Amino acid sequence: MNRQPVRMTIFNHKGGVGKTTLTVNTAFALSAGGKSVLVVDSDPQCNLTSYLLSDDVVDDLLDHSSGPNGRTIWTAVKPVLENTGVGRLVEPTMIRDLALLPGDIRLSEFEEFLGDAWADSFKRRLGGLRATSSISGLITRLHEQRPFDFVLYDTGPNIGPLNRVLLLDSDFFIVPVACDLFSVRALSTLGQTIKKWIIDAGTIGSIAPDNAMSLRSEPRFLGYIPQRFKVYGGSMTRGANSYLRDIRKRVHGDVSSVLGKINHNLIPSNATDPVVGRVKDYTTIVQRAQREGVAMWECSGNDAGKKSAKAVFEGIASYVMENTKAESASAARG
């Protein structure tokens, strides 16, 4: 049997922190590093799908997602919602070497269903347990058909039922943080939210019937990515640096420390300041890359920032490859 892929989410319940851009470009960098990657657009807004595919292709996917030839994530989970099956296997869409499970606006219907399914899971009802683990099961089946090294979930900016099951299916998560006041404040509730999800999932797992599928329920915090900060003279501006100091404190006190109290294996070895990478404000490059559906360093134009962006994401990919391997080994020993 093939070794399961590393499942990872770049997650923050605060909006406007660039999760989709980070997810896509991290996936491109991992792929350029020789890894096979599946990106899953699990946000009903479909931003990741719109980044990678042209508008006419996206429209066609959405128009036919409920039919027999559907190819979106909604196509896959629709039988679960309708109680007609465990989920449908959908062939990913290939963008060069990157595999995409396209998003769908109708995934919001499944999210509402997941709220009730979670409550049913506490009552040991198999239907609820099957629903909460259905996306996890889909990824496992896709991997059996074509092995992946990494699966990256792109999530919406909320703490709803859908993000809960995606985080609990993840082996690792990374927190993106903009260098501003609202992002700093949002960190104060992030760790407690994920802690509650893990504890609740543990309760469900302990009472579930032996034959029921279950989520991994131990997402490990890999680190954080400060981003969208201004640079002057090759360094962060004074204002961004001030926010970065606050971010470090919040990450340590409100994420690492909170999760470490559940299980020390849930936090990185460098938990005091686990910086995955720093992504400055690449506004114009990001906009062009999104229009062209390519990595930031492959978009048109001669901006000097493209070289910088490539180096940054190569560094993020290296960090991810090295630390998912190291942290997995550490957890196995623990």
Side-chain angles (χ1 to χ4, degrees):
M1 180 178 180
N2 292 322
R3 184 179 69 85
Q4 284 296 305
V6 172
R7 307 185 191 204
M8 190 175 72
T9 303
I10 296 177
F11 177 72
N12 191 330
H13 57 309
K14 164 74 172 62
V17 293
K19 290 186 294 293
T20 296
T21 299
L22 285 175
T23 300
V24 169
N25 284 278
T26 299
F28 276 130
L30 287 168
S31 179
K35 301 298 181 182
S36 56
V37 183
L38 169 67
V39 286
V40 181
D41 189 351
S42 36
D43 180 359
Q45 296 181 73
C46 306
N47 290 333
L48 188 146
T49 301
S50 297
Y51 185 125
L52 292 173
L53 301 175
S54 61
D55 290 346
D56 59 328
V57 173
V58 174
D59 289 342
D60 184 68
L61 284 169
L62 296 179
D63 288 344
H64 297 94
S65 63
S66 293
N69 298 316
R71 296 177 60 191
T72 73
I73 191 170
W74 165 252
T75 309
V77 301
K78 183 170 175 279
V80 180
L81 185 148
E82 296 176 343
N83 200 28
T84 58
V86 296
R88 180 175 159 191
L89 195 62
V90 175
E91 185 71 22
T93 299
M94 298 303 301
I95 298 94
R96 292 179 294 175
D97 294 330
L98 206 63
L100 165 69
L101 183 55
D104 198 306
I105 56 175
R106 295 195 64 181
L107 193 60
S108 57
E109 298 176 36
F110 186 66
E111 178 159 26
E112 291 181 19
F113 175 70
L114 281 176
D116 294 332
W118 188 255
D120 285 344
S121 297
F122 278 102
K123 301 172 185 176
R124 305 182 76 243
R125 292 178 178 171
L126 287 175
L129 292 163
R130 279 196 297 266
T132 56
S133 60
S134 57
I135 294 178
S136 176
L138 168 66
I139 299 306
T140 298
R141 290 160 63 200
L142 285 172
H143 174 71
E144 289 170 351
Q145 282 204 338
R146 176 188 172 176
F148 295 101
D149 296 310
F150 286 89
V151 175
L152 273 61
Y153 290 121
D154 188 39
T155 60
N158 60 65
I159 52 173
L162 179 57
N163 282 349
R164 178 170 53 199
V165 299
L166 295 172
L167 257 289
L168 292 171
D169 188 49
S170 298
D171 299 297
F172 300 93
F173 71 97
I174 294 172
V175 177
V177 191
C179 291
D180 60 43
L181 178 62
F182 298 110
S183 289
V184 172
R185 287 177 175 172
L187 287 171
S188 64
T189 58
L190 183 63
Q192 291 293 342
T193 296
I194 297 175
K195 174 185 174 181
K196 185 178 188 307
W197 289 350
I198 293 171
I199 291 172
D200 286 350
T203 300
I204 290 171
S206 68
I207 63 175
D210 292 340
N211 61 337
M213 286 186 64
S214 61
L215 296 166
R216 286 163 170 72
S217 305
E218 291 189 339
R220 280 163 271 171
F221 177 45
L222 200 59
Y224 72 101
I225 300 177
Q227 63 158 346
R228 291 188 172 179
F229 53 84
K230 297 293 184 181
V231 172
Y232 182 76
S235 301
M236 269 188 175
T237 61
R238 183 180 301 175
N241 251 317
S242 176
Y243 283 122
L244 183 58
R245 286 193 294 271
D246 292 338
I247 288 168
R248 288 193 189 105
K249 293 176 184 176
R250 293 276 190 175
V251 165
H252 178 68
D254 296 330
V255 183
S256 292
S257 294
V258 170
L259 296 179
K261 289 177 182 177
I262 306 175
N263 182 343
H264 191 71
N265 286 324
L266 295 181
I267 61 176
S269 55
N270 58 334
T272 302
D273 190 27
V275 182
V276 178
R278 293 178 175 85
V279 182
K280 68 178 183 179
D281 187 356
Y282 290 105
T283 302
T284 56
I285 296 175
V286 169
Q287 292 170 349
R288 282 203 303 274
Q290 289 173 344
R291 286 197 301 268
E292 297 167 16
V294 297
M296 288 164 56
W297 53 93
E298 294 180 339
C299 68
S300 60
N302 297 317
D303 306 61
K306 288 167 55 178
K307 184 177 180 180
S308 167
K310 182 177 182 181
V312 166
F313 279 97
E314 284 177 345
I316 290 173
S318 294
Y319 183 103
V320 167
M321 287 187 284
E322 183 59 32
N323 286 276
T324 54
K325 179 175 61 179
E327 296 294 338
S328 294
S330 174
R333 289 194 300 271

